[in-house]
Amino acid sequence: MMALTKRTEFPIEIRKKISNNIIRLRTDITCAIKFRKAEDRPLHEKISGLRFDIVNAPNHRIFDDHKNCSPYLCDKKSSIQPVNNFTIKDREISREIETVVSRFSKNAKSLLLDVDNNSCEQFNSLGTPGNY
């Protein structure tokens, strides 16, 4: 996401909004992970819920669109109306944000189960020779 803030072909207002809210986006997703982990539901429902929350996070934080926010995270359902007069550049950065977020949401199961899906980290966790 931070890489998008450096791309000058996108509107400065949205780039600033991303930059100013990047930590809040992370916090929202961390809260969503904690909430979904604690739910008394089947794993597949937790994964679906977390994916939904991750994909919706930019709508909540960047675009002030709260119509799909989960109640545990936001109570602004109808208090703020999103701006719908997007320019072509706004739509382009929205697609870029969606791409980043969708990649992240695909790892919802790993996030819920505290699994590291990085091959190098898995290899390094095996230990050093002689520690067997």
Side-chain angles (χ1 to χ4, degrees):
M1 283 286 231
M2 282 306 288
L4 292 176
T5 66
K6 310 285 190 248
R7 294 182 50 189
T8 57
E9 72 265 24
F10 296 131
I12 187 69
E13 297 83 20
I14 294 179
R15 291 187 291 132
K16 281 184 179 180
K17 190 103 177 196
I18 293 169
S19 182
N20 292 340
N21 286 290
I22 198 91
I23 299 299
R24 288 185 178 139
L25 276 166
R26 183 187 185 282
T27 302
D28 289 347
I29 292 170
T30 302
C31 288
I33 293 167
K34 288 178 186 175
F35 178 82
R36 297 299 178 185
K37 275 184 181 182
E39 282 185 309
D40 186 25
R41 304 174 91 178
L43 181 60
H44 72 277
E45 289 181 19
K46 291 180 184 185
I47 292 168
S48 293
L50 181 57
R51 283 187 178 145
F52 179 83
D53 293 339
I54 290 171
V55 168
N56 189 59
N59 293 329
H60 170 76
R61 283 291 171 197
I62 297 168
F63 299 110
D64 293 326
D65 180 358
H66 303 281
K67 70 178 178 274
N68 291 322
C69 290
S70 295
Y72 74 90
L73 190 61
C74 173
D75 60 1
K76 298 179 183 177
K77 289 250 184 238
S78 60
S79 63
I80 297 176
Q81 292 297 320
V83 178
N84 290 325
N85 57 347
F86 285 124
T87 65
I88 299 281
K89 292 292 181 186
D90 294 340
R91 285 190 212 117
E92 288 174 18
I93 196 166
S94 291
R95 278 194 296 271
E96 293 286 336
I97 291 169
E98 286 173 15
T99 300
V100 170
V101 170
S102 73
R103 276 190 243 137
F104 190 63
S105 74
K106 289 177 184 173
N107 291 309
K109 182 177 180 180
S110 297
L111 293 167
L112 287 172
L113 299 176
D114 295 322
V115 174
D116 188 347
N117 59 1
N118 180 321
S119 302
C120 294
E121 289 298 322
Q122 289 175 358
F123 178 78
N124 288 335
S125 71
L126 294 176
T128 57
N131 289 344
Y132 298 89

